[in-house]
Structure formats: structure tokens, C-alpha cells
Amino acid sequence: MRPLQRKGPRGSPRIAIAIGLYALILATPARCASPARLGRSVVKIYVTLQRENYATPWRANRPTKGTGSGFILRGKRILTNAHIVSDKRFLEVQKNNDAKRYVARVEFVGHDCDLAILRVDDPAFFKGTAPLRFARSIPQLNDEVTVLGYPMGGNRMSLTKGVVSRVDYSRYSHSGLDEHLVLQVDAAINPGNSGGPVTFRGRVVGLAFQGIQWADNIGYAIPLPVIRRFLDDVADGEYHGYPELGVAHFASRNPALRSSLGLSDAMTGAVVYRIDPFGSAAGLLKPGDVLMGIDGHTIANDGTIAVDGTRAIYAELLERKQWGDAVEIDVWRERASQTIRVPLRNPPDPFLYRNLYDQRARYVMIGGLVFSPLSRPYMNTLSRSRSDANTRQLRYLSEYAKVDGPYQTRDEFVVLIRRLPHPVNSYATGFENAVLSDVNGVHIRKLEDVRNALLDATNGYYVFRFLGMDEELVLDKDIVDVSQTELLRRYSIATPSYFGEER
Amino acid sequence: MQGSTALALLLALLAVPLHAENLSFENTLVELVVTYQEPDPFQPWQMKPPSTRHGFGTIIDDGLIVTTAKIVRNQTLVEVRKVRNGQKFAATLVQTDEQVDLALLALDHPDAFGPMRPLPLATNGLPDGPITLVQIDSTHQIQDGEGQIVKVAVENLKGSIYHSLHYSVLSDLTIRLTGGPAVRNGQLEGIVTDYRAGERTSAVIPAPFVRRFITDAETAPYNGFGTAGFHWRPLIDPVKRRYLGVSTNSGGVLVLAVVPGTGAADTLQPGDVILEWEGHSLDDRGYYEDATYGHILFSHLIKLNRMPGEAARARIVRGREDLVITVPITRTDEEAALVPENTSRQRASYLVEGGFVIRELTGHYLRSYGRDWRARANSRLVSHYYGRINKDYAPGDRIIMLIGVLPDSINVGYHHFSGEVLVRVNGKPIRNLDDVFAIRDADKAITSFGFQSSPFDITIDGQMLDDANRRLADVYRITDLQRRHP
């Protein structure tokens, strides 16, 4: 019995994990509208993957294997979860009742929505398959849905049934950060089910993707609107992801607040509290603005709008937008209303700490000191209860860098993640997990700056200063220079740095 | 309070032989039953439920008892129980000092207590040779056990932020409660402040600290123990020594930072290397050879040998030049910090205005989140506590925070605000809670609150405020809507 190849990040704020290991295994025969027909297009995915090691970024982790599910769409594509194929090294797919496995490749992957599209180049693979078709809309509560896939407990395709118990917003544990619509069903969804279709009356309404540890009969599926948005996004040959508005708001319920803003009783809206400097609204909206409407929908005092017969946070409208679209926001500002068009084209945000996949960890090693940018996977390698001031500062920066301002002087936080003991750095203790401020008087905005700052030693010394620390770290340039090769050999480091693709 | 002559007489008392001494401790050693109440950091207007701790005390003068500060911390009642006697006698706290963990108690009715045999303080105690630990066992009998001083070191003990010299005494006696005496030749050599059962080792505060504390406590004002006010690091790294222009074998430690408002603030600079303190050469880890205690950290010279108000001479290297400087010693004042520790767990000042509960950040507040406080408390507040952010502050600056909002009709829409750092009230910047009080006094009300997270200030209705405050006090049973620093 083999569990799915991955679980969600340990200790993530929400308890949702990708298909928890702990749900019961259902082994009932199918009783569904033509399961045989559906089954022809539900495939099993075999993956060999290799995670990055953010604590020792010059090393590769041991490859592991796993399986998941996927299903065939029109255009000879296979839709599955991003978390099944992330960090993949080798990928194969297999149809039900077919002995042969076919090599597959990832065409598109959306880590923020946990979806991926695979291609199989061998046309023989698609022989006898029929693409699954999407329903027109998402099912209602209590509608009976069917989950197909290849979960633990056997090798052949499995089918489970349940009802839609809830349609809600929830965090997608694959990225650890993004929240989108989810379909909660009480059908058994187990490790290996991930990527398999959830169908209603023979049409796809969702894609099974995560469960909750220690909970019974709760399985989550990515619902149709999120899938459709993903497919639309990649239609131009590139996945752009969800645009971010970058607005934190609070309810305009307080009478004193309302009167200070000049809001009459009839006017409704939510008050902008903070603008994310990397969001699309930066420079267009500002704290104190009242968001009264978005694309023609009236925003209530609690920030919700009426959409599809239910109330949802106004940001749900952005769920349907593509990067490059725009929203029209009706704003009450300085006791006058105006409509502000916000193009949704936010820049990449280096201070948004998502889980990272399909990229190598960047680092530089000098004199046995290994520097790497602050990242969520690196934070995950540190125990949450570590008591040293440097680690607490990293936690703070990962949460407040954009709110309190430390981001302004940096493109990323460069962290001394490890000291590889060597006579050259014997006394350089107590600096681990500190954030580099400058080297030889050169301010460090990003990892590459370390390389440049080392070109100019200070009177024959390399002098490192760290954010919020009084003590300097001083290395002798000549000793560092002659030790570098020896350090690489001693700690089996193939290359002293990896800066990624030049930015 | 006894006069100093009485104390001098007492100190002059001759030692009695130790043999079979436990009988004679009947009128010297007492058990303390302390009822205490700690403040509730989250609801600063009230105290936590009362509780009880036990410890030992030693009679050192007629009606005077010495024990540790932590035993009597936040006491609401101290009762003194005699050996082999259930009788309890009330005592009053004369002085307590968390920085050396000592406290002095006076019996309310010494005459009723019966015979007392005060234990004289050792005059020239040496930190080696056998030493006897004395306590009262669970059957109310005197119990003693011989021990050896196995270590003399300047260190901070579990739960304390203060460095101080301690003896480590290894003994077969399992210490039941702390606060009892360590005795040699019928004299008090120290007070047991901590016991590590796994190592069978007691930490003992040496007699010179007890002597200075008692002498100081006898006459108001209490001066306490001093500090020079700087942070330093060992300077062993030969590369760093060369970089700083200090020879490899001259010893000396590196000054990292000076504390605003202390003697060092005007006399020392980050980057200075201290070679000598009061004529003692420091090695590269900050140790010197003490005539009595041997190889110990030089901070002992500041803490015990100097009184606040005095000054100390130091030889330093600054910018490759030798200098002799004089550093004033001031009373160690944890209140000077941006985030005071509040080890003595004093009640915090606070303000409840329109349901907004405002107070200053302290170490005690953060630790109240429990064992896992570093992970559970807000990471911004924790980082402030560790001093990694906002390092440049002026004396008197504090982190003012909103603990939370007590829901009421005046503050609807704001109930989710908590753990925020308050930086403006009524549109004016604030540095500490006193500023908040001053603005409230001037404006008669606080109607707008600005947090670090946003330039947008939230407002409440000033017209409704008096009624709301009355209602909040009533509904949430808040006895006082504010408490100011005395």
C-alpha cells in the first residue's frame, strides 16, 4: 500500500493537508452512470520527485516515488494536481486496465491553484479514451457526486460517492498561502485520489485534491470555476496566475468611523486599511478609501457582495479575473465618489512566502558561511519554538516586512543559514539565521550583491554586518581565499554558489 | 528597623561550633508560607487568583528574616512558621531586590515569636572547603547536610535576567525548598536561591551580597546594585583582534552597545575594547583574577564592589589608541529598556478607553503566553522584545500595544483589532503610555487610534465615550479603567 507522494507542509496554519492519510478506505463497487465510460479517461500517474533542500541548498534530497490520479480533457491533455507533479524528475501515466505506462511531461503548472496539465507525446496513449466533459455549473449542496481515482488500498481504479457538503473558501495547502473556492464532499478521498475527477451526472464538477487530518468524511475538491480559470489562463501558452489586488480592508460598521468618513446611512462599503506595495492597487487605492462597488456589484459594509445567489467577499470577483484584466472599483474618497480602474498586473512579490517548487534553492558559500534568501521552505526547516533572536526576527520579517517597512531597502532577505565549521570561521558563531545588511560597507539588497561586495575587501578583511545586530562578523580575506577550495572539498560542495537565472 | 549598631553587634557575635548544630537552628531557621497574587497581563485591571508558595528564611537579627526575592514576589501575606510548631506569625516585607534575589522581612510582633537566635553573617567567607546546608524537613525537624563548593561563577540563574556571583554547592541533602541558609562555623555563608535536583547542586548567594543588601535596606532610600550599562562580547578571534588593532595576547573584551541613560552611554562606544577594569586585567573572555573568588567575570566588579553613584576606571582601546576612562555606575534600571522585562511582575499601567485595552509591552507579558510563548505571541512583539527591531530608541520609549477591544456598541467594527502596536492617539504621535495619559488629560477623551500597520486611524464617538466607559467598567467588571505609573 503506497500513500500519495506528498503531504502538505507540516505545521501549516490550516490543518488541511493534501489528501490526509487518515481517512477510511472505501472499497465499494461502482453504482454510477456509466463508470466504465468515465473510467476510460481517468489515469494513474507515477511520479519520481526530488525536493529541494533549503537547509543545505548545495545538496539534492533523495528522490522519492508516488502516485496520483488525473483525467483526460479535450485536446489530448491530462489535468491533475500541481502537487503531484511538482519537483518531478520522471513522470509516467497509465490508463485503467492497460499494462503499458507512457512517459508524460508537464505542459503547465499553477502552484497557486494546485493544477497542472500533462502531455503524452505517444498518440497511442489516447486510443480508446474519451475526454471528460465539464458540467455547466457547480453542484448544489446535497447533490450526489462521484469521485474517481487511484487511491491507496489497491491498484485498479476506485470509485467513491458522497454529497456536496459545503462550497466555501479555503487555503490550498500546496502553496500554503493561497485561498480559493473549494468543494467539500463527504465521499472518501484518500492518498492517491488527488487529481482524480469529481463528477455529477457524468460531468466533471471538480478535481479531488486535499483532505483534513484527523477529520472524517471531509474531502476537498478544486471546483469547476477554478479549473476553468486555469484553463483560460494557459490558453495563451503561459500560466500567469491569479492577479493580486493587495488590499486589506475592514468593515465600515462603526458609526463614528462612518461619520468621520462622511458616509450616509444609505451608503455601504468596506474601509481600506492597508495597501500591499506589491499589489495591483498600490498607488491607486489608499488607506481610508471606502470600497463601495466592484465591477457593478455593490459592496456591503462587511466587504461582501451578492454573487451567484450567495454572499461572498468582494475579492471573490478577482477569482474570475486573468492577469492583465482590470476591475472598476467605486471608491468613496475625501467625501466624494469616484470610479478607479485598477489594472490587475501586479509585479512578482518576493516578500510573499509561498511554498516553492520546481526551482533550485539559491545560495552562496564564502569562508564556510552559507547565505540564502529567506523563503518559506527554509523557515519550515526551523523549529517553530526556536528561541534565538535571529530566528524570531526571521519569523517577524516573514510576516511584517511589508507592513513595517523593512522590505523597502531590500529585494529579498539574505540569511546566513549555516556555518560550515572550518578554522577560517571558528569564531563566527551566533550569526546563524541573521539577515545580512552589508558586506564591506556595500548594502545587500539581494543574494547576488554578496558576490559583488566581496570584490572589495575592507583593509584585507571581509566584514559582514547583520540587521539588528551590533556585532560584526570579520573574516581574513587572504585566509578565506585560500580556504575556499578546501572548504568545497571538505563538505563535498560541487559549486560555491547558485544564483539562479540572472535577474 | 534595627539600627546599624545592632547589626554590627550581631555581626561581631562569635561563631558557635558546627557539631550537632541542627538543634541550635530551631530558633534561627523558619519556614515561610507566602500567599501571593500575580498580575493578569491580559486583564491588567485585575490580579490572578491567589496562590501559595513555601520557602525558608533565616533570622539574621531580632525579628529580621532574610530569604530570596522570588519566594515573596507579589506577596499578599507572609507567614512565618517556627520549627516543630504549627504557630504562624505575620511578617512584613522590608525590602526586596530581584537583581540579587534577596528579600528582607520583619516580624510584625517579634515579642510574640519567642526566643530567636540570629545567625551572624560570615565576615571573611572563602569560596572553598565544606559548607553546610540547613533546612526543615517535611516532619518539621531541622535537617542538615554537608556540601562542597564545586563552582564559583558569575551567571544568571533559571528565570532571571541578572548576572550575579553564585556558589554551586554539591550536597547529599535533597533541598526541599529554597531560601534556606548555607552555614560554616556557625556563620551565614549564603542563601540557597536555586536547586538542581539532577545535579544535587544548590546555587548559593554569597554572604557579601547578603551583607550589602541588608545594610542598604536598613536605611532609606534603598540604593540597590549598579550597572555600567553596556553590552560586550569576548574577543578571542585573532582575526577580529587584528581588525580592531588590538594585539593578540593583551586580553580585553569588545563593547557592542551602550544602554541609553546609563554611565556607559556617555563614556563608552561600540567597538571599544576594554583591557582593564579597576586595575584588573581582563582576559579575552572578560575574566579576571579576584583575590577572594579567583577566576571570575569582571561584571562582578561592577555589581558588588561599586555602589550606584560611584564610578569605575577602565583602560580601553578606541580606534587603536589606549585611553583611560571613568565610567559612572548607576542603579540597574530595567525600566530604562524599550521592552522592560518586569521580572518582579509588577502590575502594569494600562488604559481602557472605549473598550480599547492599551498597555506597554514587557517580557512578563510575552512569557504569559506559556511555555511556547515565542511561537504563540505576535512575532512583531516578540522581535521587539529580542531587541532586533527598533534598536535606536530614546530613554523612556516603549512599545505601546492594543491587547484587544472589549466589545461594546461604541467600538463595533473594531473587535478584530488586537496585538497591534499603537503609535498615534487623537492624531498625535506617542512614545509611551505616559504620553497617552497626557493626551487624554488634555483632550478629555481618546477618540482616534493609529496603529503601526496602517496610516489610517480608526475613530470612536467622543459623545458616547463617558457612557460607554461606565458601561464597559460595569459589564466587564473593570474596577479601574486606568492605572498609571506611580
Side-chain angles (χ1 to χ4, degrees):
Chain A
M1 193 163 8
R2 164 172 292 163
L4 181 78
Q5 80 278 14
R6 82 171 287 280
K7 289 188 287 178
R10 261 175 236 167
S12 68
R14 292 286 182 84
I15 44 173
I17 61 156
I19 312 307
L21 282 165
Y22 300 89
L24 292 170
I25 298 163
L26 197 74
T28 42
R31 190 170 53 77
C32 160
S34 63
R37 184 181 65 78
L38 291 174
R40 285 210 300 268
S41 296
V42 179
V43 303
K44 186 169 185 176
I45 297 168
Y46 296 84
V47 63
T48 301
L49 59 92
Q50 193 175 28
R51 296 282 182 227
E52 275 300 293
N53 191 313
Y54 282 82
T56 53
W58 63 90
R59 289 175 59 243
N61 273 339
R62 191 183 301 173
T64 55
K65 290 179 179 176
T67 64
S69 308
F71 57 94
I72 295 170
L73 299 181
R74 267 199 320 213
K76 301 201 164 148
R77 297 172 296 172
I78 298 167
L79 188 67
T80 185
N81 280 127
H83 76 250
I84 292 174
V85 299
S86 293
D87 294 323
K88 67 112 185 49
R89 296 292 178 261
F90 189 67
L91 201 56
E92 289 174 310
V93 292
Q94 186 178 34
K95 288 177 290 182
N96 198 22
N97 298 323
D98 188 348
K100 187 172 161 136
R101 295 187 194 179
Y102 293 78
V103 173
R105 60 186 166 85
V106 178
E107 187 179 30
F108 298 108
V109 60
H111 295 299
D112 55 356
C113 60
D114 198 1
L115 290 171
I117 291 174
L118 313 184
R119 289 280 187 180
V120 177
D121 291 329
D122 188 343
F125 173 77
F126 293 97
K127 221 174 198 176
T129 65
L132 293 192
R133 293 166 71 185
F134 291 115
R136 285 184 190 282
S137 61
I138 57 172
Q140 305 292 306
L141 294 190
N142 205 30
D143 280 348
E144 193 182 61
V145 292
T146 304
V147 180
L148 296 163
Y150 297 86
M152 59 193 287
N155 287 321
R156 295 184 182 169
M157 193 183 74
S158 132
L159 179 151
T160 58
K161 267 176 183 290
V163 296
V164 174
S165 343
R166 182 149 55 183
V167 180
D168 205 349
Y169 259 78
S170 192
R171 181 161 301 174
Y172 280 34
S173 65
H174 176 62
S175 86
L177 211 61
D178 298 84
E179 291 195 0
H180 302 297
L181 211 55
V182 296
L183 207 59
Q184 184 189 318
V185 298
D186 71 350
I189 292 185
N190 290 305
N193 261 125
S194 269
V198 177
T199 61
F200 176 58
R201 294 180 182 154
R203 298 285 179 101
V204 175
V205 292
L207 184 145
F209 84 125
Q210 66 187 20
I212 288 189
Q213 221 169 347
W214 315 121
D216 284 338
N217 299 329
I218 293 183
Y220 288 105
I222 300 173
L224 199 51
V226 179
I227 297 172
R228 279 205 189 286
R229 196 211 154 277
F230 173 71
L231 295 175
D232 289 346
D233 190 324
V234 301
D236 62 355
E238 188 186 346
Y239 182 67
H240 306 83
Y242 282 77
E244 298 286 341
L245 190 60
V247 171
H249 72 272
F250 67 101
S252 71
R253 290 176 55 211
N254 192 277
L257 173 81
R258 293 182 60 84
S259 90
S260 77
L261 293 166
L263 290 169
S264 71
D265 288 349
M267 296 159 78
T268 64
V271 183
V272 175
Y273 186 61
R274 199 174 62 243
I275 298 291
D276 188 316
F278 291 88
S280 299
L284 296 170
L285 299 179
K286 59 184 192 184
D289 283 352
V290 184
L291 307 177
M292 306 187 69
I294 181 166
D295 280 358
H297 298 264
T298 302
I299 299 176
N301 288 342
D302 63 352
T304 61
I305 54 172
V307 57
D308 298 342
T310 172
R311 290 211 76 82
I313 290 295
Y314 73 87
E316 192 160 313
L317 273 189
L318 277 104
E319 288 280 300
R320 303 153 188 219
K321 299 282 183 180
Q322 297 292 345
W323 199 88
D325 290 352
V327 283
E328 302 267 336
I329 299 182
D330 302 321
V331 173
W332 181 253
R333 178 185 291 174
E334 281 149 23
R335 294 172 187 259
S337 64
Q338 53 180 292
T339 299
I340 296 175
R341 185 182 153 82
V342 180
L344 298 171
R345 32 178 76 248
N346 53 301
D349 182 353
F351 301 99
L352 193 65
Y353 295 102
R354 286 191 169 102
N355 293 322
L356 298 176
Y357 304 99
D358 297 330
Q359 52 182 280
R360 278 184 58 188
R362 295 180 296 129
Y363 70 94
V364 58
M365 190 281 286
I366 180 80
L369 309 176
V370 185
F371 297 95
S372 189
L374 178 61
S375 65
R376 186 186 181 109
Y378 177 66
M379 293 294 286
N380 288 343
T381 67
L382 305 172
S383 155
R384 268 183 72 74
S385 57
R386 272 180 75 141
S387 62
D388 62 292
N390 292 342
T391 307
R392 299 328 305 178
Q393 177 173 251
L394 288 187
R395 294 257 172 241
Y396 159 71
L397 291 172
S398 68
E399 291 171 33
Y400 286 99
K402 288 191 287 184
V403 181
D404 289 359
Y407 82 97
Q408 285 165 345
T409 53
R410 288 172 164 81
D411 300 325
E412 61 192 0
F413 295 108
V414 178
V415 183
L416 172 55
I417 61 165
R418 184 174 282 263
R419 180 181 70 97
L420 302 170
H422 184 275
V424 70
N425 58 35
S426 285
Y427 298 98
T429 54
F431 296 96
E432 222 164 80
N433 291 321
V435 171
L436 204 51
S437 276
D438 60 75
V439 179
N440 298 325
V442 178
H443 178 59
I444 303 298
R445 286 195 68 97
K446 55 186 186 299
L447 188 68
E448 291 92 321
D449 293 345
V450 178
R451 175 177 54 188
N452 305 330
L454 290 171
L455 298 175
D456 245 336
T458 310
N459 303 323
Y461 299 93
Y462 291 138
V463 182
F464 301 85
R465 289 195 183 83
F466 297 89
L467 185 62
M469 279 186 91
D470 298 308
E471 200 169 5
E472 295 171 329
L473 194 163
V474 181
L475 301 180
D476 185 308
K477 177 189 184 299
D478 293 339
I479 305 177
V480 169
D481 291 352
V482 299
S483 316
Q484 192 74 351
T485 318
E486 147 67 8
L487 265 160
L488 294 174
R489 192 182 54 73
R490 191 180 287 199
Y491 288 98
S492 304
I493 300 174
T495 160
S497 64
Y498 176 73
F499 292 106
E501 291 161 29
E502 290 295 328
R503 293 184 300 163
Chain B
M1 187 83 264
Q2 304 293 313
S4 53
T5 30
L7 186 72
L9 279 172
L10 153 82
L11 297 176
L13 278 176
L14 273 177
V16 242
L18 188 67
H19 309 294
E21 195 163 30
N22 56 11
L23 277 175
S24 62
F25 272 91
E26 256 179 57
N27 298 325
T28 303
L29 182 61
V30 293
E31 183 167 340
L32 302 174
V33 183
V34 179
T35 311
Y36 67 95
Q37 260 187 303
E38 305 274 27
D40 181 343
F42 303 106
Q43 298 196 83
W45 49 89
Q46 65 178 22
M47 302 293 277
K48 289 182 179 172
S51 191
T52 310
R53 9 176 142 86
H54 294 254
F56 298 126
T58 307
I59 296 174
I60 47 112
D61 200 346
D62 195 27
L64 284 183
I65 296 161
V66 69
T67 184
T68 63
K70 58 177 169 276
I71 287 172
V72 296
R73 186 182 63 217
N74 280 317
Q75 52 83 24
T76 51
L77 176 68
V78 179
E79 291 169 306
V80 178
R81 196 147 62 182
K82 291 170 78 167
V83 181
R84 284 194 230 163
N85 188 332
Q87 262 187 301
K88 290 177 182 174
F89 302 87
T92 304
L93 186 61
V94 178
Q95 185 66 49
T96 177
D97 191 333
E98 297 275 334
Q99 296 170 18
V100 284
D101 196 21
L102 287 172
L104 188 63
L105 302 166
L107 284 166
D108 289 354
H109 303 289
D111 300 342
F113 189 79
M116 289 179 235
R117 196 184 70 87
L119 190 65
L121 273 159
T123 41
N124 52 356
L126 288 173
D128 51 19
I131 197 164
T132 305
L133 302 179
V134 190
Q135 67 173 355
I136 304 169
D137 72 10
S138 54
T139 63
H140 301 287
Q141 307 290 317
I142 295 285
Q143 192 181 44
D144 64 25
E146 191 157 300
Q148 288 289 331
I149 297 176
V150 291
K151 187 173 79 173
V152 180
V154 178
E155 57 192 359
N156 50 354
L157 297 176
K158 190 179 69 184
S160 171
I161 57 161
Y162 297 107
H163 266 59
S164 209
L165 183 87
H166 297 106
Y167 299 157
S168 292
V169 177
L170 179 68
S171 164
D172 283 339
L173 186 68
T174 300
I175 298 296
R176 204 163 67 83
L177 301 167
T178 58
V183 180
R184 185 193 286 148
N185 299 329
Q187 294 183 326
L188 181 67
E189 284 284 352
I191 302 289
V192 174
T193 172
D194 191 26
Y195 178 63
R196 291 178 284 251
E199 302 163 26
R200 303 203 322 277
T201 303
S202 304
V204 171
I205 306 162
F209 285 92
V210 182
R211 178 189 308 281
R212 176 167 151 188
F213 168 71
I214 292 168
T215 312
D216 194 353
E218 276 190 330
T219 44
Y222 178 73
N223 295 303
F225 291 78
T227 181
F230 60 90
H231 300 291
W232 59 274
R233 279 275 187 286
L235 188 54
I236 307 166
D237 183 0
V239 172
K240 204 157 185 180
R241 296 188 72 91
R242 266 191 281 125
Y243 168 73
L244 292 164
V246 193
S247 74
T248 308
N249 45 20
S250 63
V253 298
L254 177 65
V255 175
L256 288 183
V258 294
V259 181
T262 64
D266 302 322
T267 54
L268 280 166
Q269 295 173 7
D272 286 352
V273 178
I274 302 175
L275 301 178
E276 281 180 18
W277 193 268
E278 305 254 43
H280 297 275
S281 294
L282 311 187
D283 72 7
D284 52 17
R285 294 190 304 144
Y287 285 76
Y288 75 102
E289 290 302 324
D290 187 274
T292 309
Y293 299 111
H295 196 60
I296 57 170
L297 280 177
F298 80 105
S299 53
H300 177 70
L301 290 169
I302 301 168
K303 186 149 195 175
L304 187 65
N305 296 14
R306 285 288 168 203
M307 297 287 286
E310 298 179 348
R313 279 162 67 83
R315 194 163 72 81
I316 65 165
V317 175
R318 176 180 298 162
R320 295 173 190 261
E321 261 183 64
D322 263 42
L323 292 175
V324 174
I325 57 163
T326 306
V327 184
I329 305 298
T330 54
R331 173 91 190 266
T332 306
D333 182 13
E334 64 168 42
E335 290 289 304
L338 179 67
V339 182
E341 187 69 37
N342 192 13
T343 43
S344 54
R345 304 192 189 171
Q346 301 298 304
R347 295 186 71 168
S349 298
Y350 65 90
L351 172 68
V352 182
E353 182 81 324
F356 286 70
V357 184
I358 298 159
R359 58 162 290 169
E360 291 172 351
L361 178 64
T362 63
H364 176 228
Y365 172 84
L366 290 171
R367 288 170 200 280
S368 302
Y369 279 89
R371 252 169 59 90
D372 207 14
W373 63 271
R374 294 176 189 89
R376 291 183 57 203
N378 175 290
S379 71
R380 180 200 265 148
L381 299 179
V382 173
S383 218
H384 269 302
Y385 171 74
Y386 276 105
R388 281 290 188 267
I389 48 175
N390 265 25
K391 286 192 73 71
D392 296 315
Y393 64 93
D397 283 3
R398 292 291 163 76
I399 307 300
I400 313 156
M401 55 177 184
L402 176 75
I403 302 179
V405 178
L406 297 169
D408 180 82
S409 54
I410 194 172
N411 55 38
V412 289
Y414 301 146
H415 300 164
H416 61 288
F417 283 97
S418 78
E420 294 276 352
V421 173
L422 187 68
V423 292
R424 287 177 307 277
V425 294
N426 291 358
K428 298 164 193 141
I430 48 172
R431 291 170 55 231
N432 51 41
L433 203 55
D434 288 341
D435 285 357
V436 179
F437 286 130
I439 292 168
R440 191 182 189 279
D441 290 346
D443 298 354
K444 306 290 178 237
I446 288 174
T447 52
S448 99
F449 302 84
F451 303 111
Q452 193 178 354
S453 304
S454 168
F456 181 73
D457 295 2
I458 57 175
T459 49
I460 54 174
D461 188 343
Q463 305 292 319
M464 288 170 65
L465 191 57
D466 284 345
D467 283 344
N469 279 340
R470 264 193 295 277
R471 194 166 53 232
L472 282 154
D474 180 44
V475 169
Y476 292 99
R477 294 161 65 187
I478 304 170
T479 40
D480 296 297
L481 288 168
Q482 58 172 275
R483 179 187 158 86
R484 303 192 182 196
H485 288 294

